[in-house]
Amino acid sequence: MAVNPDPTRVFARRATLARAVRLLSEFRFEQSDPARFYGAVAADTAAMVGDLWLATHGEPPVGRTLLDVGGGPGYYSAAFADAGIRYLGVEPDPSEMHAAGPTPAGGAGNFVRASGMALPFADDSVDICLSSNVAEHVPRPWQLGGEMLRVTKPGGLAVLSYTVWLGPFGGHEMGLTHYLGGARAAERYARKHGHPAKNNYGSSLFAVSAADGLTWAASTGAAVAAFPRYHPRWAWWMTSVPLLREFAVSNLVLVLQPRE
């Protein structure tokens, strides 16, 4: 049962310019030192989820169960374990699951190989369901969102965060060429590098707008907050401005709370 009408109240104190700059500076290590980069993002994500739970439940999420949809190599597992949260990851791609070694970073027992669009879990089975930067990589992102809500207990939290297509990082490793159009950017990347991008437009990367996510969240009746994931609190107003949010929000967080 929510104890505060604003689920972002606690996290807003953490959303400072210094945090934004620190996380942006870590981005340069994504390719050269992924453990460092994803470790920093994981710690920040665990803190964000903890703050959202504290604001909506009046206590830390210690002992709660979190399902991470698209958990990749498991870098988030340790961060959530440090917060006292029981972590379970779902990842459909075996190459992603083993990117950090023969077993996921969180341990093989903490992971299930499955699609986020058809989660092999019962209704109302987890306290928190998280999806971090997965929605833009699946052809039907709101089917994934619906699955997240299905498995989340009434009164729990579903936290879906994704990269907005028209933001500066929408093209992922294709850089800003995505502003030329997704198909053209993919062709340019393949010509330059001799192989398709890992996040290849039309197959593993799709154009998902901020408006798409906000419209879907409102349609569920469970939406309780939406904000730019990495921006300082004073810049969150951009989420409410059509067109501007498509270019400026960069990464949108949708927070949903299934009804009791």
Side-chain angles (χ1 to χ4, degrees):
M1 194 75 168
V3 296
N4 190 286
D6 179 11
T8 66
R9 175 181 59 88
V10 180
F11 176 66
R13 302 170 188 164
R14 191 188 306 273
T16 63
L17 180 60
R19 166 185 171 267
V21 171
R22 174 174 53 80
L23 290 172
L24 184 62
S25 69
E26 291 290 341
F27 185 75
R28 68 184 187 273
F29 297 106
E30 181 184 18
Q31 299 295 323
S32 62
D33 191 354
R36 170 174 175 169
F37 170 72
Y38 288 106
V41 174
D44 186 79
T45 303
M48 178 183 74
V49 170
D51 286 349
L52 293 172
W53 185 273
L54 178 61
T56 52
H57 293 79
E59 61 184 14
V62 174
R64 300 292 179 172
T65 299
L66 177 141
L67 178 62
D68 182 8
V69 181
Y75 290 120
Y76 282 31
S77 178
F80 282 106
D82 287 346
I85 298 172
R86 294 193 296 268
Y87 177 94
L88 181 63
V90 169
E91 174 57 52
D93 186 347
S95 64
E96 282 293 312
M97 186 179 290
H98 301 298
T103 60
N110 292 341
F111 272 77
V112 174
R113 184 180 173 190
S115 169
M117 292 188 290
L119 292 170
F121 298 94
D123 296 358
D124 308 337
S125 55
V126 300
D127 299 297
I128 305 166
C129 193
L130 169 71
S131 176
S132 177
N133 299 332
V134 175
E136 71 267 28
H137 297 296
V138 297
R140 297 181 298 281
W142 314 125
Q143 181 177 327
L144 179 149
E147 281 290 277
M148 292 175 63
L149 283 175
R150 179 184 66 79
V151 302
T152 303
K153 296 175 183 178
L157 288 179
V159 182
L160 194 162
S161 170
Y162 67 95
T163 303
V164 177
W165 172 246
L166 288 177
F169 301 106
H172 288 56
E173 69 266 42
M174 294 186 296
L176 298 179
T177 63
H178 71 299
Y179 289 123
L180 302 174
R184 183 177 296 178
E187 292 170 2
R188 285 171 59 92
Y189 185 95
R191 283 200 307 270
K192 180 178 180 180
H193 297 277
H195 59 83
K198 173 185 175 183
N199 299 291
N200 191 47
Y201 182 80
S203 60
S204 57
L205 180 64
F206 301 89
V208 187
S209 70
D212 290 341
L214 293 167
T215 299
W216 169 78
S219 74
T220 68
V224 292
F227 58 90
R229 181 172 180 175
Y230 302 117
H231 288 29
R233 176 65 183 88
W234 48 260
W236 286 8
W237 61 271
M238 293 187 292
T239 306
S240 64
V241 183
L243 189 58
L244 174 64
R245 63 192 173 206
E246 303 298 341
F247 293 92
V249 164
S250 183
N251 193 289
L252 181 65
V253 179
L254 304 173
V255 185
L256 304 102
Q257 187 170 37
R259 295 184 178 181
E260 300 278 2

